[in-house]
Amino acid sequence: MAEVPEKPTLDGLEARWQERWASDGTYRFDRTHDRAAVFSIDTPPPTVSGSLHMGSVFGYVQTDCIARFRRMRGDQVFYPMGWDDNGLPTERRVELYYGVRCDPSLPHDPAFEPPETPDRKRPVPCSRPNFVELCLRRTVEDEQVFEALWRQVGLSVDWDLTYTTIGPKAQRASQRAFLRNLARGEAYAAEAPTLWDVTDQTAVAQAELEDREQPGAYHRYAFRPVGGGDPVAIETTRPELLPACVALVCHPDDERYRALVGTTVTSPLFGVEVPVHTHELAQPDKGTGIAMICTFGDLTDVIWWRELDLPVRNILERNGRLRAEAPAEITSDAGRAAYAELAGKTTKQAQVRIVELLSEAGELQGEPRAITHPVKFYERGDRPLEIVTSRQWYIRNGGRDADLRTALLDRGEALHWHPGFMKTRYDNWVGGLNGDWLISRQRFFGVAIPLWYPVGADGTVDHAAPIISDEASLPIDPSSDVPPGFRADQRGEAGGFIGDPDIMDTWATSSLTPQIACGWEDDPDLFDRTFPMDLRPQGPEIIRTWLFSTVVRSHFEHGHLPWTDTSINGWILDPDRKKMSKSKGNVVTPVDLLERHGSDAVRYWAASARPGTDTAFDEGQMKVGRRLAIKLLNATKFVLGLGEGVTDIDPAAVTQPIDRALLARLADLVEDATDAFAGYDYARALERTEAFFWTFCDDAVELVKGRAYGSLGPEAAASAAAALQLSLSTLHRLFAPFLPFVAEEVWSWWQEGSVHRAPWPDAAALRSAAGDADPLVLEVATAALTEVRRAKTTATRSLRTEVTSAEVRDRPDRIAALRLAADDLRESGRIASLDLVEVPDSALEVVVELAAPEPA
RNA sequence: GGGCGCAUAGCUCAGCUGGUUAGAGCGCUGCCUUCACACGGCAGAGGUCAGGGGUUCGAGUCCCUUUGCGCCCACCA
């Protein structure tokens, strides 16, 4: 127990208590408890390659408030922290940070060091192992920065329970889960048209797409019917894909083109003969009503290609440039000459050139018509996605299987959503899936697909018969590890083997955070005590990725949900950029704000935002939070200074009606806050606690402080002191989840142990101490005191001014209640003569006569 | 095109299952340097609860509708 300081301050609290919590193991998970006593939280592993911004602090603080509440309420809280460090974001960061580029064809160079001064325009190529080594080096440093921030903001995670998504535990779990998916037929490989990012040269999944409005133009040109007749015009935004055209399509009911259906037409410039088909998806009112199908311009092309059983005429390389070789179907010299003009160009360059060619050939009808239209992008990319055909790994997710989809929708139904309306996003997403989950990526820094393939005597790779590692050997890297039954020198040789070159998408690992954190298969004892978990807190934007994919994996592996509840935080709205960073010239970072306002103040802002509600970034709220923390210091100092000092608080000493009324109000507060917290509504709990605290300071303390100093004798003083101390003890604990630093500080002045391990206040005990208290006593006394203050303020006199006489008029029941607090009112109002008058059906009225001012 | 959310004081937001004169904080104005607190305190001004209709004894709260904003989804030639 510490002394109450002479001059309480918030300065230095963060550093002091952070260190103390670490050395005392205040938040250590005790794994001797069984599942029923444990509350386990599937904390979002932040992407460490990203920048620290207030959005992260916002959500994590809200979760921490819940965690602290559960811990105080007696749950054994399992609160680990992961770092999401694998995947493309880290590769990007490393490329820029070190000025390097991964070239998997290079051999490992043990002496490789990145350039002293990175030249981003001319990155230095390095081998895949060297590149991965740099990624690991960088992420370790990033993770330290994140951990420091989380400690500073006071997250009560158990820092012994950290994991990374590139670490061996995560690699083992994701490879094991993948192999089991494969064994059960839930994972499969397929050669199929795939959305492809030409910058990063990797496939991307449906969940990582976003639409962006882009300028484009309709270009109009015509195909010539082989059997003669009028040319048939089409309109397209992708004229450069003309050499990849495999058919035209119109709606089956479209009279205009009926005669053409079943015939063939030839393309302009290239003279390739293609059939005319019908399909329901062709829209008569779009363009000319008849469209060219290319392999592949967009996802509709893929549907048409599949359903109309069309051939592939591929002209696009994986780097987004047109192939050097013209498609075999272009046979004419003129056609091949035209294609040669396009070969090697990007789609954008090719579009410019083909429009010139069409125009020169007189094939272009009219001027291109400018439009804006939505185009699919990889969410982290800056060039439109193309569609290329490639061999990829998929995990089933209901996108092609109605039964599975229904089962996953049912899982969403069984999950408890906070707030409930967020479930709609899940339903929309699952209901709108149009393909399985593509998990393979043609990248370097990630968990490898744990497979090899036999290479036949003729040198061909047999993808249909993968060589599978046993689970005990995981994690493996098929690019360096040798499969059972083979020698290292057989890699890539006839009769040997070859490793799958791909890695898994980061979500294929992140979707297993409950399994990774809880020690799935690695630590069965821990797993039994923590899984399935209780809570998944996260942002709304990753319901379709992280939340959904986690449900999918758990559904397959365990046959139930990975957690019972999910809380979805809101979004931070940038209030107005003009006011913040720009004009003042300083970008606001979390660290900056934490240092300026203090951790408790920033937490107060975050915890004030209701669950799932978008919130404006508001430094004003942080100032309010800081003021609240300071008030807590001062109010505590004052109450602890009353009377004889504090030993044990004796609830039975609370005898005065107004003191008991205070305890009754306190019991109400505890019930409110507890109910709110139990429903994951931390913001409501904070709001109630704060509102009570201010009236406690302004009114309750003011009313009873004279008596507490002994003006009405020792018993009355003891009653006031006990009631105030009981209130204080309760308030310290109610504030602890929100303002952990200041709450710990004030608690330490008069209590043993950490407030964060203290029991959550018990409403029933307070209720019993309050006995048959009439809440009106406190209510009317407060109202009357406010009126007396008002009279003094209106007269522009000091609150110290003596009141020669005051007459309080109110309803009989209220006057009766006030009579029980008359002495306290007289003293706090400095009232010489107090009259209480019963007036039926009247509202409170106080007539005050002030003492004459002192002569100047 | 479908869906979700939001719209309450100048600003940021409460108002949970409909119930007496609609609340808080910030900001603003005034007063008070009170023996916990000037990193204060006390008090005051300020609102046709987005518009329209309906249910009800009674609607900020429920239903319908219009408008505006944010977000999600959709096959985007």
Side-chain angles (χ1 to χ4, degrees):
Chain A
M1 222 184 304
E3 290 290 303
V4 179
E6 198 53 45
K7 188 80 183 162
T9 174
L10 297 179
D11 296 339
L13 290 191
E14 282 95 346
R16 182 154 86 245
W17 289 113
Q18 211 176 294
E19 197 175 309
R20 183 67 179 277
W21 294 333
S23 61
D24 287 359
T26 307
Y27 308 121
R28 189 171 296 143
F29 174 65
D30 176 355
R31 60 179 292 170
T32 61
H33 294 75
D34 65 15
R35 184 67 196 83
V38 169
F39 186 80
S40 54
I41 303 173
D42 184 18
T43 318
T47 306
V48 292
S49 54
S51 54
L52 298 162
H53 58 92
M54 287 312 290
S56 333
V57 171
F58 185 69
Y60 283 84
V61 164
Q62 293 169 351
T63 304
D64 185 60
C65 293
I66 300 286
R68 289 178 178 276
F69 163 71
R70 305 299 298 220
R71 191 179 293 113
M72 292 174 73
R73 218 188 53 170
D75 289 336
Q76 191 53 231
V77 174
F78 180 68
Y79 190 14
M81 176 64 69
W83 309 118
D84 189 14
D85 46 13
N86 84 33
L88 200 46
T90 296
E91 292 190 22
R92 286 257 179 87
R93 176 157 164 75
V94 164
E95 285 165 358
L96 291 175
Y97 189 89
Y98 293 112
V100 297
R101 173 174 63 81
C102 180
D103 182 346
S105 68
L106 291 176
H108 181 222
D109 174 4
F112 179 83
E113 277 299 320
E116 289 281 322
T117 46
D119 181 354
R120 287 164 190 180
K121 294 226 173 86
R122 288 191 185 164
V124 176
C126 66
S127 73
R128 177 172 173 159
N130 289 121
F131 186 72
V132 167
E133 196 276 320
L134 289 178
C135 289
L136 290 170
R137 189 192 298 182
R138 186 67 238 151
T139 54
V140 165
E141 291 168 26
D142 286 341
E143 282 152 23
Q144 286 165 354
V145 173
F146 264 78
E147 181 173 331
L149 174 72
W150 290 152
R151 283 181 184 269
Q152 190 180 353
V153 83
L155 296 194
S156 62
V157 309
D158 182 341
W159 290 105
D160 292 333
L161 301 173
T162 55
Y163 63 89
T164 70
T165 59
I166 197 65
K169 278 198 312 189
Q171 297 226 13
R172 191 157 54 241
S174 44
Q175 290 188 337
R176 186 194 303 123
F178 170 81
L179 291 178
R180 292 194 185 182
N181 288 140
L182 180 62
R184 289 190 296 257
E186 295 146 5
Y188 63 92
E191 178 94 14
T194 308
L195 284 160
W196 185 268
D197 187 294
V198 296
T199 305
D200 293 319
Q201 299 197 40
T202 180
V204 299
Q206 186 185 354
E208 297 170 298
L209 307 182
E210 67 184 30
D211 285 352
R212 294 184 202 160
E213 282 294 329
Q214 295 288 306
Y218 277 121
H219 301 78
R220 189 182 184 113
Y221 46 76
F223 288 67
R224 293 188 180 73
V226 171
D230 293 336
V232 52
I234 61 99
E235 285 196 341
T236 179
T237 55
R238 302 288 307 270
E240 72 278 16
L241 294 180
L242 177 56
C245 176
V246 291
L248 299 191
V249 64
C250 63
H251 195 271
D253 298 338
D254 197 332
E255 298 292 341
R256 296 170 294 177
Y257 302 112
R258 178 147 295 173
L260 283 171
V261 174
T263 69
T264 57
V265 295
T266 56
S267 58
L269 285 187
F270 303 104
V272 175
E273 194 171 328
V274 297
V276 179
H277 290 286
T278 64
H279 194 278
E280 298 286 342
L281 284 181
Q283 294 179 33
D285 57 346
K286 207 157 206 175
T288 61
I290 188 162
M292 77 172 181
I293 304 174
C294 304
T295 51
F296 296 91
D298 62 27
L299 290 173
T300 318
D301 280 342
V302 177
I303 295 170
W304 281 329
W305 164 80
R306 189 187 301 128
E307 297 190 3
L308 298 172
D309 200 20
L310 298 167
V312 175
R313 200 157 295 157
N314 199 354
I315 60 167
L316 206 59
E317 296 281 3
R318 295 185 171 195
N319 60 10
R321 291 176 183 273
L322 268 63
R323 291 182 176 212
E325 289 293 309
E329 291 79 2
I330 302 179
T331 51
S332 69
D333 291 343
R336 299 190 75 80
Y339 186 84
E341 295 275 333
L342 307 176
K345 288 188 158 54
T346 65
T347 50
K348 215 169 172 182
Q349 296 162 343
Q351 181 173 111
V352 172
R353 187 62 190 132
I354 199 169
V355 169
E356 289 167 2
L357 294 174
L358 286 161
S359 189
E360 287 160 14
E363 298 282 4
L364 197 65
Q365 301 184 1
E367 286 298 306
R369 192 156 49 85
I371 56 159
T372 40
H373 61 154
V375 176
K376 291 210 182 299
F377 280 73
Y378 171 46
E379 59 191 357
R380 297 175 184 275
D382 51 14
R383 288 167 74 187
L385 293 173
E386 295 293 350
I387 296 171
V388 306
T389 299
S390 56
R391 187 173 174 282
Q392 302 286 346
W393 282 97
Y394 296 84
I395 289 179
R396 298 184 197 282
N397 66 359
R400 294 165 169 267
D401 175 345
D403 289 343
L404 178 56
R405 182 182 307 218
T406 304
L408 291 170
L409 285 170
D410 288 347
R411 295 280 182 227
E413 193 70 38
L415 184 60
H416 302 128
W417 296 78
H418 310 280
F421 65 80
M422 287 291 183
K423 184 175 93 70
T424 309
R425 295 193 184 216
Y426 179 93
D427 292 343
N428 283 350
W429 177 252
V430 180
L433 287 168
N434 52 31
D436 283 329
W437 175 18
L438 197 167
I439 59 156
S440 45
R441 296 290 183 275
Q442 290 65 54
R443 300 297 305 182
F444 318 108
F445 190 60
V447 179
I449 303 270
L451 297 172
W452 302 267
Y453 306 100
V455 177
D458 59 353
T460 58
V461 177
D462 183 4
H463 287 111
I467 304 163
I468 292 165
S469 167
D470 63 80
E471 286 191 2
S473 316
L474 301 178
I476 59 155
D477 180 358
S479 72
S480 55
D481 293 325
V482 177
F486 289 88
R487 298 182 317 273
D489 63 5
Q490 288 178 287
R491 182 180 297 275
E493 298 296 318
F497 70 94
I498 191 165
D500 192 304
D502 290 351
I503 60 169
M504 295 184 210
D505 169 33
T506 190
W507 295 112
T509 300
S510 303
S511 59
L512 297 163
T513 53
Q515 289 83 350
I516 295 164
C518 296
W520 177 50
E521 298 284 324
D522 288 350
D523 188 345
D525 175 74
L526 179 66
F527 195 68
D528 286 346
R529 296 173 195 279
T530 53
F531 187 89
M533 303 182 86
D534 292 277
L535 180 64
R536 155 60 69 84
Q538 64 161 72
E541 76 283 6
I542 49 175
I543 290 174
R544 67 178 184 174
T545 48
W546 194 35
L547 189 144
F548 173 60
S549 60
T550 309
V551 169
V552 169
R553 302 309 284 282
S554 185
H555 173 78
F556 283 146
E557 187 58 42
H558 309 288
H560 53 69
L561 281 170
W563 354 259
T564 58
D565 291 70
T566 184
S567 62
I568 308 294
N569 61 254
W571 201 241
I572 305 221
L573 305 174
D574 222 348
D576 43 34
R577 280 155 206 194
K578 53 189 186 284
K579 220 189 247 173
M580 273 173 53
S581 40
K582 292 234 171 127
S583 67
K584 301 201 168 161
N586 61 329
V587 178
V588 180
T589 66
V591 174
D592 186 37
L593 288 165
L594 289 169
E595 278 168 7
R596 265 215 322 278
H597 301 285
S599 296
D600 284 335
V602 172
R603 290 176 63 103
Y604 172 87
W605 160 73
S608 300
R610 312 206 89 76
T613 302
D614 294 347
T615 308
F617 173 81
D618 187 2
E619 286 200 56
Q621 280 295 99
M622 296 176 198
K623 292 188 178 134
V624 174
R626 185 173 178 85
R627 197 178 62 139
L628 174 63
I630 291 168
K631 188 78 174 176
L632 195 56
L633 289 175
N634 287 313
T636 301
K637 173 175 189 270
F638 178 66
V639 170
L640 296 184
L642 291 173
E644 297 297 302
V646 182
T647 48
D648 288 328
I649 308 171
D650 178 12
V654 183
T655 53
Q656 302 294 304
I658 191 167
D659 297 335
R660 293 186 148 202
L662 178 63
L663 297 189
R665 286 278 318 279
L666 199 57
D668 292 342
L669 168 67
V670 171
E671 273 169 18
D672 268 4
T674 307
D675 289 351
F677 255 131
Y680 297 90
D681 193 349
Y682 49 83
R684 188 184 176 87
L686 171 58
E687 182 197 59
R688 296 303 162 99
T689 303
E690 187 190 7
F692 181 93
F693 177 63
W694 285 106
T695 67
F696 170 76
C697 292
D698 296 346
D699 302 324
V701 171
E702 290 300 322
L703 276 164
V704 308
K705 83 178 173 190
R707 177 159 52 85
Y709 275 127
S711 62
L712 295 174
E715 194 202 322
S719 174
L724 293 180
Q725 287 163 8
L726 212 45
S727 301
L728 200 62
S729 155
T730 305
L731 286 165
H732 286 173
R733 286 175 286 157
L734 293 180
F735 275 128
F738 306 105
L739 313 173
F741 294 100
V742 73
E744 189 75 310
E745 173 69 11
V746 291
W747 187 257
S748 76
W749 295 345
W750 65 313
Q751 304 279 350
E752 295 294 342
S754 170
V755 70
H756 303 296
R757 285 290 187 179
W760 187 250
D762 178 13
L766 291 169
R767 188 78 67 201
S768 129
D772 57 355
D774 180 359
L776 265 188
V777 179
L778 182 59
E779 188 186 318
V780 182
T782 299
L785 178 61
T786 299
E787 287 301 316
V788 173
R789 283 176 187 149
R790 194 197 321 276
K792 293 178 183 179
T793 301
T794 308
T796 68
R797 300 285 297 280
S798 159
L799 290 180
R800 260 188 185 167
T801 307
E802 294 289 335
V803 175
T804 42
S805 72
E807 183 180 285
V808 179
R809 306 155 72 85
D810 205 339
R811 296 197 318 257
D813 59 322
R814 290 167 60 91
I815 289 296
L818 182 56
R819 221 179 290 283
L820 298 172
D823 290 335
D824 287 338
L825 175 60
R826 204 178 347 252
E827 188 155 5
S828 56
R830 294 170 177 264
I831 301 166
S833 164
L834 177 64
D835 283 323
L836 306 183
V837 183
E838 298 183 359
V839 182
D841 304 321
S842 150
L844 173 72
E845 193 184 344
V846 182
V847 182
V848 174
E849 190 180 319
L850 300 177
E854 296 283 324

